[in-house]
Amino acid sequence: MAADMTGIVVGVDGSADSLRALRWAVDEAQIRGSDVTVLGAYEAIPVRAAWMPDTDYVELPVETLENHQSALEGLIDKTLAEWGVERPAGLTVRASLGGARELLLKAGETADLVVVGSRGASAVGRLLLGSVSSALAHNATCPVVVVPPVSQA
């Protein structure tokens, strides 16, 4: 991440639960008079090239992060329009290379608040797959809000 993030940081991955977190963050930012940074994590997963058996991994093209940024911007604009909400002046969208946990924990070092959605994973699911919201709740250096799924709201 190029610059420290201040105000409210919300993790968005395109899921319905992350968009509920976005809505909560935008509403909270209006109450606080705060900026909102929408953070979308993009993990470049190295791929072994089957047609090039002597190579280790093929690097993904640089434009994939730019494509992710563009898609994330489009998703945010479309979602805000569906809600009938104008894009707040203090809202920025940033796609960053890395894992969601690491990026949101890093953002939390300078943010006032980090907001994420919860998919409501079971204990077994969290054990096997890990949980961004759990990692944030246990390790963030700023307050964290986990917006529950609709079934738990």
Side-chain angles (χ1 to χ4, degrees), residues 9-108:
V9 175
V10 57
V12 173
D13 64 6
S15 68
D17 291 325
S18 74
L19 295 175
R20 284 176 42 78
L22 171 66
R23 181 63 187 250
W24 192 97
V26 168
D27 290 347
E28 183 67 15
Q30 288 177 331
I31 292 167
R32 293 179 180 217
S34 179
D35 291 339
V36 176
T37 300
V38 178
L39 181 60
Y42 175 78
E43 287 193 81
I45 302 171
V47 185
R48 187 171 303 277
W51 63 90
M52 299 169 57
D54 295 334
T55 63
D56 283 332
Y57 292 95
V58 173
E59 297 217 10
L60 294 174
V62 174
E63 66 266 19
T64 56
L65 183 57
E66 293 167 2
N67 290 344
H68 186 67
Q69 175 73 33
S70 178
L72 190 58
E73 290 271 1
L75 173 67
I76 300 309
D77 289 341
K78 177 181 177 240
T79 301
L80 292 172
E82 287 172 0
W83 294 337
V85 174
E86 283 191 39
R87 185 172 176 153
L91 186 138
T92 58
V93 178
R94 185 180 298 173
S96 293
L97 188 61
R101 278 186 206 147
E102 295 76 18
L103 290 170
L104 289 166
L105 283 169
K106 181 72 176 161

